[in-house]
Amino acid sequence: MKIFLFILTLFFFSSNLFSSESSSKNMPKHNWSFNGISGTFDRAALQRGYQVYSEVCSGCHSMKLLYYRDLLDIGFSESEVKSIASEYTVIDGPDDEGEMFERPARQSDRFVGPFLNDNEARTNNNGSYPADLSVITKAKKYGEDYIYNLLLGYKEPPSGIEVGNGMYYNQWMQGNQIAMPAPLYDESVDYEDGTDNNVEQLAEDVVTFLKWAAEPELEVRKNLGIKVILFFLILGIIVLLAKNRLWKKVH
Amino acid sequence: MSENPNEKRRDFLHLSTITLGAVGTAAFIWPFLKSMNPAEDTLALGSTEVDISGIEKGKSITVKWRGKPVFIKRRTQQEIKEAKEVALIELKDPVEDANRVQKDEWLVLVGICTHLGCVPLGQKMTDTKGEFNGWYCPCHGSHYDTSGRIRKGPAPNNLDIPPYSFLNDTTLKIG
Amino acid sequence: MSGKSEPRKYKNPFLNWIEFRLPIISYFEKEYGDYPMPKNCNYFWSFGALASILLVVLIISGIFIAMNYTPHTDMAFDSVERIMRDVNYGWLLRYIHSNGAAFFFIIVYIHMLRGMYYGSYKYPRELNWILGVFIYLLMMATSFLGYTLPWGQMSYWGATVITNLFSAIPIVGEGLKTWLLGDYTVGNATLNRFFALHYVLPFVIFGVVGLHVAAVHVHGSNNPSGIDVKSENDTVRFFPYMLLKDTLAVCVMGVLISAVIFFGPNIMAEVDNYIPADPLVTPAHIVPNWYLAPFYAILRAIPDKLGGVALMFASIAILFILPWLDTSKVRSCNYRPIYKWFMMLFFINFFILGYVGLKPAEGLYLLIARAGLIYYFVFFLIITPLMKWIEKPKELPASISEVYSGVENKLSSSDTQSNMH
């Protein structure tokens, strides 16, 4: 009986078991502010991350599951969000004459993507499709750590390795070759709040933003989780006491 | 026997278990019920901003708000005068025109007849405006005046005024 | 209302009124109040209750997310994300549902493990076991259908692979597959009908669970010693003894499932399912959810397509006939010193099959899958029936009471205080 329980415990706690690929490399884990039982998002980092996304990534990557009004959650005011949204154009219509027309985006609109559709995206990127980034940290194994290491993982290919046409060498990409050129460099984005803008900081901020974009409920979720687990623990202890008291009399 | 302190303790344990259990069940049900409330995207569309700078005097536009048509009319001096001169006893649903507008020039109405829900005519220049120069509902013949009040016909109430505010001189926010 | 001629069973007149017209009050009293359970049942006996509670949680959470889900290929993925982001507490409902399903399988596997180890499938509970396997089959179907609904990459390709299996059937296969899909490939027709079926099957499961519980109550529950209840002394009333134990089990499960839902909601998820389905791009590794993995391993272990399908169905079908494969008169493996180890090995083997089922079907993994498959069938078809001739079971205790109070107390006087439990 004890052997079962041991095996079952192993089963329950080994997260590797639920993966479908074998990971031969050790993914370095970064210290994220949102990790842990009481993890939270650093609002300043989220805003800087959004800036990196909009200045660098949004040229090729859409985030269609986000609405401009979602930016209220990372500390922008309503007027800031309105002005951010109005910089983008949305196709609306048909109007009363039956024509489609363009108008500036509103808070209630989705993030405007760089391309009209997937085909246009592929044409403009040598046949590769720049993935939508709305849930990217949930769509990759190791999530935020993978993306962070990938962004910083561009290196010169080791001797003897030929990199294909239009491809770049990256330590963490499956197969080591990636169609996206290194998007971030030291000081490639200017931060207004004076934070150091070396490439590690840029990567950290944009990945924090991406994690929030994928899991905006994270802080509420963890908060509620603590309360729920505490509830079950307390109820469990009371029930245990009641049960022991009751069963003492059974011979 | 000396059961009493033990029994009391057991009763307390049972009582606290049941209470905690009941509280837990209620707390469990709560998010399910809350999830049926309008979602964030629905609420975001709960208000609409309209640019009213292009509307000429005497003209009226229709916009969609929460799935309903809203009439925004820029009234002429004549229409405003007509609306203010009506005596309250003549009205089925007596309300002063001043209580139905924030600025005399701008009349904002929910374009749904209070009888059985048709959309009254009167928005287009070619539409009939009914006998009171406002709107006319073709379904059962209700006539509304230049303040959107019911004057003749089966409708029981004046056309509803939605919540609205002027963000500035050229922008109206409905809802 | 003539209360005079009606039998007065209860002090409360409201209860009497109902009882006289539909005797559910006395029914509940009998089945969940006075119902005698062997007093030595350990916590493995709580897993049935845990499973029932999870089933109800799944149905309720499912109904509420169905209020916001759109079963159309163009909108399914986005509607699920809308639930996660815009619906109040939508993320909680969704994570309860997806992780609830995973825990449902964990609980049911442990429940089945208990049934096998303690011989609960033997006389007179064979039908109960069969109903249980039927529930398991329905669970597998329901979870497969449910997994396609988010319309992620794994949803689409998992559905494609599994429905392609039907085309392996000779002559009628291709037609059967097209009929099932409603199209030549997995598409909108498929998604819509999978949603309809996924919504309805849990209620079928609920009904079969009702039969399953009714069947148990006819002859009473089994117990870890496997011997029959001989007197009232061997039992305790369900209320409040076993109810409290079950409540404690619920609390433990509550802590574990909450830890997952709130702090690791995607640890059991396939990351590829967060990529919208693309019929033109096949993911590197197509895998079903982990709880179907052992059978997926068996499917892929056979190089022949039809052979793999046949063996996979056979591996589930064989569970139905277990009560007839095992001819031993001794129920509990606690008293079967040799079979016990084969049984444990079976569980470990099933687990290993699950592990390799999630890995690519090549090299060492394929070898292990084949070995596991062989042991799986050898266990049922050879080891189990032949045990009777190989094994001498341990001496069974005289009664449950004896087991409960422990061997040490056998020699002391009859009104001793209890020392265990």
Side-chain angles (χ1 to χ4, degrees), chain A residues 1 4 11 17 213 221 251, chain C residues 39 44 85 262 347 351 355:
Chain A
M1 194 47 48
F4 290 129
F11 169 75
L17 280 159
R221 169 165 54 87
H251 300 295
Chain C
K39 60 186 177 185
F44 276 112
R85 294 160 188 278
F262 293 98
F347 297 139
F351 181 67
Y355 182 81

Side-chain angles (χ1 to χ4, degrees), chain A residues 1 4 11 17 20-21 37 65-66 69 134-135 138-139 213 217 221 225 228 236 243 247-248 250-251, chain C residues 39 43-44 78 81 85-86 91 95 241 258 262-263 265-266 270 274 285 344 347 351 355 358 404 418:
Chain A
M1 194 47 48
F4 290 129
F11 169 75
L17 280 159
S20 54
E21 312 137 32
I37 296 186
L65 294 173
L66 262 65
R69 57 175 162 82
S134 311
V135 285
K138 288 204 280 193
E217 84 289 344
R221 169 165 54 87
V228 171
K243 177 245 170 194
W247 277 82
K248 250 200 187 140
V250 178
H251 300 295
Chain C
K39 60 186 177 185
Y43 279 97
F44 276 112
D78 285 358
E81 278 298 313
R85 294 160 188 278
D86 286 324
W91 56 268
Y95 281 148
Y241 297 91
S258 301
F262 293 98
F263 296 101
N266 290 301
E270 283 296 326
Y274 277 103
H285 306 287
M344 303 263 220
F347 297 139
F351 181 67
Y355 182 81
L358 293 176
Y404 186 76
S418 69

Side-chain angles (χ1 to χ4, degrees), chain A residues 1-5 7-8 10-22 36-38 65-67 69-70 110 122 134-135 138-142 174 212-218 220-226 228-229 232-233 235-237 239-240 242-244 246-251, chain C residues 39 43-44 77-78 81 84-86 89 91-92 95 103 106 110 113 117-118 236 240-242 244-245 247-248 250-251 254-256 258-272 274-275 278 281 285 287 290 341 344 347-348 351 355 358-360 365 404-405 416-418 421:
Chain A
M1 194 47 48
K2 296 203 179 111
I3 302 182
F4 290 129
L5 298 174
I7 305 267
L8 286 169
L10 260 187
F11 169 75
F12 191 78
F13 285 108
S14 47
S15 53
N16 238 355
L17 280 159
F18 301 117
S19 69
S20 54
E21 312 137 32
S22 51
I37 296 186
S38 47
L65 294 173
L66 262 65
Y67 293 86
R69 57 175 162 82
D70 291 330
R110 290 179 187 267
R122 280 186 191 279
S134 311
V135 285
K138 288 204 280 193
K140 296 290 175 195
K141 191 168 176 212
Y142 301 114
Q174 183 87 312
W212 167 82
E215 299 181 68
E217 84 289 344
L218 185 139
V220 176
R221 169 165 54 87
K222 292 195 179 192
N223 206 301
L224 185 56
I226 296 177
V228 171
I229 292 181
F232 278 119
L233 279 176
L235 181 63
I237 290 173
V239 171
L240 180 66
K243 177 245 170 194
N244 280 344
L246 181 71
W247 277 82
K248 250 200 187 140
K249 299 203 297 184
V250 178
H251 300 295
Chain C
K39 60 186 177 185
Y43 279 97
F44 276 112
F77 189 88
D78 285 358
E81 278 298 313
M84 297 294 293
R85 294 160 188 278
D86 286 324
Y89 289 106
W91 56 268
L92 182 58
Y95 281 148
F103 267 77
I106 296 176
I110 297 175
L113 180 158
Y117 185 87
Y118 292 108
V236 285
Y241 297 91
M242 290 306 178
L244 266 184
K245 283 187 80 167
T247 310
L248 183 59
V250 169
C251 290
V255 172
L256 294 173
S258 301
V260 171
I261 288 173
F262 293 98
F263 296 101
N266 290 301
I267 54 171
M268 291 188 271
E270 283 296 326
V271 289
D272 275 347
Y274 277 103
I275 302 173
D278 188 347
V281 175
H285 306 287
V287 284
W290 63 266
W341 298 107
M344 303 263 220
F347 297 139
I348 296 173
F351 181 67
Y355 182 81
L358 293 176
K359 298 285 183 216
Y365 297 126
Y404 186 76
S405 26
T416 351
Q417 343 53 335
S418 69
H421 282 269

Side-chain angles (χ1 to χ4, degrees), chain A residues 40-49 72-76 212 219:
Chain A
T40 53
F41 288 117
D42 175 0
R43 290 289 177 287
L46 288 179
Q47 292 186 34
R48 293 193 301 266
L72 292 169
D73 288 338
I74 60 177
F76 289 113
W212 167 82
E219 290 171 325

